[in-house]
Amino acid sequence: MIKPGAVANGHIGAIMAKIAEGGFKFKAIRMSRLSKEQAEAFYAVHKDRPFFGSLVASMSSGPIVAAVLEKENAVMAYRDFIGATNPADAREGSIRKLYGTSIEANAVHGSDSDENALIEASFFFNTMDQF
Ligand code: ADP
Ligand code: MG
């Protein structure tokens, strides 16, 4: 997912180009917007963290771009590719280093397991579709 801050800052095209250069294939793309309730559900695992309210507010603050990506070992490959959660710690040239503006507004989301990738895709896509 390209998060609201990166969309608002005009980085959709640059981020998608970088993802493609990284060898990921786009299997589905959709521009959408999370309601507060959807953002709460999307990040439910973090509901007891001090930053949860602020994260939910920022994730529902504007449009996002959701995508399903394909690559060998895609989940781990993409997490490596985007860089560390905090842009300040992210690898030089990574998406989060280039386009993240804070640990919260870190430009992109990446699923952390195949199981969660399917659950998260179901927020935006009909998972009966053949990706
Ligand atoms: P990741 O997105 O790298 O998997 P986490 O699952 O730990 O990271 O956190 C989910 C999201 O919550 C992060 O991408 C970031 O937007 C936000 N976040 C994480 N840690 C903090 C923090 N300490 N303060 C504010 N926001 C945070
Ligand atoms: Mg995570």
Side-chain angles (χ1 to χ4, degrees), residues 1-12 14-15 18 81-109:
M1 189 196 306
I2 305 177
K3 296 186 177 187
V7 172
N9 289 332
H11 298 315
I12 293 175
I15 290 174
K18 228 176 167 11
F81 184 71
I82 62 179
T85 303
N86 188 345
D89 302 330
R91 176 176 44 76
E92 284 305 321
S94 65
I95 292 173
R96 281 174 161 173
K97 182 65 134 195
L98 287 169
Y99 303 114
T101 56
S102 69
I103 188 168
E104 181 175 275
N106 56 3
V108 288
H109 169 78

Side-chain angles (χ1 to χ4, degrees), residues 10-28:
H11 298 315
I12 293 175
I15 290 174
M16 289 181 67
K18 228 176 167 11
I19 290 169
E21 285 160 18
F24 298 87
K25 266 195 185 163
F26 287 90
K27 304 299 285 187

Side-chain angles (χ1 to χ4, degrees), residues 67-123:
V68 175
L69 303 176
E70 181 180 270
K71 191 180 186 176
E72 186 75 31
N73 195 24
V75 164
M76 285 310 141
Y78 181 74
R79 290 184 68 84
D80 273 358
F81 184 71
I82 62 179
T85 303
N86 188 345
D89 302 330
R91 176 176 44 76
E92 284 305 321
S94 65
I95 292 173
R96 281 174 161 173
K97 182 65 134 195
L98 287 169
Y99 303 114
T101 56
S102 69
I103 188 168
E104 181 175 275
N106 56 3
V108 288
H109 169 78
S111 303
D112 63 7
S113 66
D114 288 358
E115 187 192 3
N116 282 338
L118 272 179
I119 292 169
E120 291 172 357
S122 75
F123 278 76

